[in-house]
């Protein structure tokens, strides 16, 4: 396994690789973000692949799945199911590329570190900033899911902003642990809650199907409507931006693909079954989130059971945003591994800021749901799909003899290039349809006021 790029190919080592090796030697880049932890007070590398599987499922299989039945209502059941399954397989392939890249570059802790290897200092800042932005927006999305659930459970007796605030408090508290292994144990009931909630939702739809429901095998629609519906399953798999951070806290990173296979197998199977069953019983009028289309008592039951998942997923996102900055600040410092006042105070401030930013955005920006879509298009499309192809092309080029290696492995090269191209398409098309949705919402006066009930 090549941990560094200390080689020279036929064309000579390019300037970025030379600079990267200089940074390694001058300790600007540490080969392992957490180093040897034997005598440290705070140990990070404690996760088993089983616990990483739970963390991945808790983070990815969440409120995003509740939009999948409505996607089938737009494009039809056959194209919708094919898309869900294809994206699950595609996400498994990109997971493999990410895992291999991390194993070859153990110094990578986040997408920012990976961006430095690919594109230099600018790449580090862009990908690190994108990770933090997307994680904060994703936290806000979970706060809104909690808001909807609490409002449903209490028959909308309070101002929606208050529900968001109520849900934000436990989300903040649960994101405070410094290491992911503490959050992994909280993620076990989180996974059970979304699994049981989905089953309850399907049972509720089956017992009380929509009257006069209509189901389409395939349904023609405009590019705008179709791609809006396509973004639902695309971003339902959008959790890869956490992979490097999760792997950095594994006891045996070599087992990461076991966790990825578990995640993608569970997610693809559950997404497919949930989308089909819910759509078949509720038809084309199913809403997003789909639990809101159920009879009141079943909607309350499903939302109530799903609450722990929304809570822990939000905590994981906020934790990820804070962890990236924290490791960046204190890498190779005693504050990372010791119980110092500086370390703990900085950690508390970062966690508070990430949660506070998510809360303010969720209640203060009327078009926040659209902004989540833009953030997902700009960043998640790359982290989950496109940039994985760039990782493979980069490593193959530098380790295998330049373009000759690409030609020798032409099949894999074409697949990696196609993966990168897919990221470009999802990014551009997703951003376009989301911006168009914002414009249409303002034209139809469907946008509310900030900080309103």
């Amino acid at each position: 396994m090549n941990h560094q790029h200390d080689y020279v190919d036929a064309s000579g080592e390019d300037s970025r690789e030379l600079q990267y090796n200089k940074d390694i030697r001058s300790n600007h880049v540490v080969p392992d973000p957490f180093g040897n932890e034997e005598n440290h007070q705070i140990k990070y590398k404690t996760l088993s692949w089983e616990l990483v599987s739970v963390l991945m499922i808790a983070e990815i299989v969440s409120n995003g799945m509740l939009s999948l039945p409505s996607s089938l209502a737009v494009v039809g059941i056959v194209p919708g199911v094919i898309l869900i399954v294809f994206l699950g397989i595609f996400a498994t392939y990109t997971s493999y590329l990410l895992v291999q890249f991390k194993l070859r570059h153990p110094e990578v802790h986040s997408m920012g570190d990976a961006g430095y290897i690919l594109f230099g200092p600018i790449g580090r800042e862009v990908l690190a900033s994108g990770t933090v932005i997307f994680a904060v927006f994703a936290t806000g999305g979970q706060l809104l899911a909690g808001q909807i659930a609490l409002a449903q459970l209490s028959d909308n007796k309070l101002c929606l902003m208050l529900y968001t605030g109520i849900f934000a408090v436990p989300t903040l508290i649960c994101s405070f642990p410094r290491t992911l292994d503490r959050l992994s144990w909280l993620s076990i009931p989180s996974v059970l809650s979304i699994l049981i909630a989905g089953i309850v939702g399907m049972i509720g739809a089956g017992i009380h199907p929509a009257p006069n429901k209509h189901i389409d095998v395939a349904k023609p629609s405009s590019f705008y409507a179709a791609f809006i519906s396509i973004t639902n399953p695309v971003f339902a798999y959008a959790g890869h931006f956490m992979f490097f951070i999760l792997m950095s806290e594994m006891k045996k990173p070599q087992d990461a693909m076991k966790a990825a296979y578990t995640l993608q197998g569970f997610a693809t199977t559950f997404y497919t079954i949930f989308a089909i069953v819910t759509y078949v019983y509720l038809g084309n009028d199913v809403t997003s989130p789909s639990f809101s289309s159920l009879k009141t008592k079943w909607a309350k039951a499903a939302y109530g059971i799903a609450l722990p998942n929304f809570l822990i997923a939000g905590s994981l996102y906020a934790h990820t945003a804070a962890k990236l900055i924290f490791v960046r600040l204190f890498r190779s410092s005693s504050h990372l591994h010791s119980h110092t006042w500086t370390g703990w105070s900085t950690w508390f401030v970062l966690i508070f800021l990430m949660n506070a930013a998510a809360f303010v955005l969720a209640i203060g920006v009327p078009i926040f749901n659209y902004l989540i879509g833009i953030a997902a298009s700009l960043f998640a499309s790359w982290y989950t799909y496109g940039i994985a192809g760039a990782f493979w092309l980069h490593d193959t080029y530098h380790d295998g003899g330049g373009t000759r290696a690409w030609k020798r492995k032409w099949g894999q090269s074409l697949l990696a290039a196609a993966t990168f191209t897919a990221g470009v398409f999802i990014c551009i098309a997703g951003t376009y349809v989301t911006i168009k949705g914002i414009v249409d919402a303002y034209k139809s006066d469907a946008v509310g006021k900030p900080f309103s009930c």
Side-chain angles (χ1 to χ4, degrees):
M1 184 188 302
N2 295 323
H3 294 325
Q4 319 298 344
H5 291 300
D6 294 326
Y7 55 79
V8 178
D9 63 19
S11 59
E13 195 172 39
D14 65 27
S15 60
R16 186 180 300 122
E17 291 298 322
L18 285 169
Q19 182 60 45
Y20 183 72
N21 288 325
K22 289 178 182 178
D23 287 345
I24 289 287
R25 289 189 289 270
S26 62
N27 292 324
H28 293 154
V29 178
V30 181
D32 187 314
F34 300 119
N36 184 346
E37 297 187 315
E38 184 177 352
N39 298 316
H40 289 158
Q41 293 176 328
I42 301 173
K43 294 179 173 60
Y44 294 89
K45 296 186 290 187
T46 56
L47 290 173
S48 65
W49 74 263
E50 291 90 349
L51 288 178
V52 171
S53 301
V54 173
L55 282 163
M56 287 178 171
I57 294 172
E59 173 236 342
I60 292 178
V61 183
S62 188
N63 63 334
M65 79 171 194
L66 303 183
S67 63
L68 297 179
S70 64
S71 295
L72 269 58
V74 174
V75 299
I77 191 169
V78 172
V81 170
I82 290 174
L83 183 65
I84 291 171
V85 173
F86 169 76
L87 288 172
I89 296 171
F90 191 18
T92 304
Y93 167 67
T94 56
S95 297
Y96 173 78
L97 297 183
L98 293 179
V99 168
Q100 293 305 307
F101 186 80
K102 167 64 177 174
L103 292 177
R104 295 188 65 263
H105 303 275
E107 72 276 9
V108 168
H109 175 258
S110 69
M111 282 289 176
D113 295 333
Y116 184 83
I117 293 174
L118 263 64
F119 308 115
I122 294 177
R124 173 166 55 192
E125 303 307 328
V126 170
L127 293 187
S129 299
T131 300
V132 173
I133 292 170
F134 181 68
V136 169
F137 275 63
T139 303
Q142 295 297 337
L143 294 182
L144 290 182
Q147 174 204 90
I148 294 170
L150 292 176
Q152 179 73 48
L153 289 168
S154 63
D155 298 318
N156 291 289
K157 291 180 180 178
L158 297 177
C159 169
L160 291 178
M161 188 168 61
L162 291 177
Y163 289 124
T164 311
I166 292 170
F167 194 73
V169 173
T171 301
L172 170 67
I173 294 172
C174 289
S175 57
F176 270 125
R178 279 267 288 270
T179 59
L180 281 168
D181 71 310
R182 302 291 180 88
L183 277 171
S184 68
W185 294 105
L186 293 175
S187 295
I188 294 175
S190 170
V191 172
L192 291 174
S193 77
I194 197 63
L195 174 62
I196 297 171
I199 294 172
V200 168
M202 289 186 284
I203 293 173
I207 293 176
H208 300 285
N212 303 316
K213 67 178 183 295
H214 181 73
I215 301 169
D216 290 304
V217 175
K219 188 176 180 180
S221 58
S222 65
F223 171 80
Y224 171 71
F227 199 84
I228 281 287
S229 70
I230 287 172
T231 57
N232 292 330
V234 165
F235 299 135
Y237 290 102
H240 289 42
F241 74 104
M242 284 182 61
F243 275 22
F244 293 150
I245 291 176
L246 287 167
M247 286 184 67
S248 294
E249 297 193 29
M250 289 184 70
K251 289 182 288 188
K252 294 177 61 179
Q254 297 82 359
D255 290 338
M257 272 314 296
K258 296 178 182 178
Y261 286 136
T262 303
L263 161 69
Q264 303 301 351
F266 177 86
T268 304
T269 303
F270 191 47
Y271 284 168
T272 304
I273 294 173
F274 180 79
I276 292 174
V277 173
T278 305
Y279 175 62
V280 166
Y281 284 110
L282 299 182
N284 285 334
D285 292 329
V286 63
T287 60
S288 177
S290 60
F291 286 167
S292 296
S293 295
L294 301 173
K295 290 292 184 181
T296 301
K297 66 177 182 180
W298 287 98
K300 287 184 176 182
Y303 275 127
I305 296 170
L307 270 174
N309 176 267
F310 301 158
L311 170 63
I312 298 303
S315 298
L316 280 170
Y317 291 133
H319 178 101
T320 297
K323 180 66 71 65
L324 185 153
I325 299 173
F326 187 78
V327 172
R328 178 81 176 270
L329 289 173
F330 296 125
R331 195 163 182 160
S332 300
S333 164
S334 61
H335 301 302
L336 186 66
H337 284 285
S338 300
H339 294 296
T340 65
W341 186 91
T342 299
W344 275 110
S345 60
T346 303
W347 177 252
F348 277 108
V349 168
L350 287 173
I351 287 292
F352 179 80
L353 287 177
M354 298 306 111
N355 281 277
F359 173 71
V360 171
L361 287 168
I363 66 171
V365 181
I367 58 170
F368 182 63
N369 274 325
Y370 292 100
L371 294 185
I372 295 175
I374 291 177
S377 299
L378 291 176
F379 302 116
S381 60
W382 288 108
Y383 299 150
T384 304
Y385 302 105
I387 204 168
F391 290 155
W392 187 91
L393 291 170
H394 172 275
D395 281 355
T396 301
Y397 179 89
H398 288 290
D399 285 355
T403 56
R404 293 192 303 274
W406 290 350
K407 293 176 182 178
R408 187 168 63 253
K409 301 178 180 179
W410 63 269
Q412 292 172 277
S413 298
L414 288 176
L415 186 56
T419 299
F420 186 83
T421 304
V424 174
F425 174 73
I426 295 170
C427 177
I428 295 174
T431 303
Y432 164 74
V433 298
T434 306
I435 292 175
K436 186 177 185 304
I438 295 174
V439 173
D440 293 344
Y442 273 105
K443 286 181 178 178
S444 61
D445 293 324
V447 178
K449 297 180 180 179
F451 303 103
S452 64
C453 291

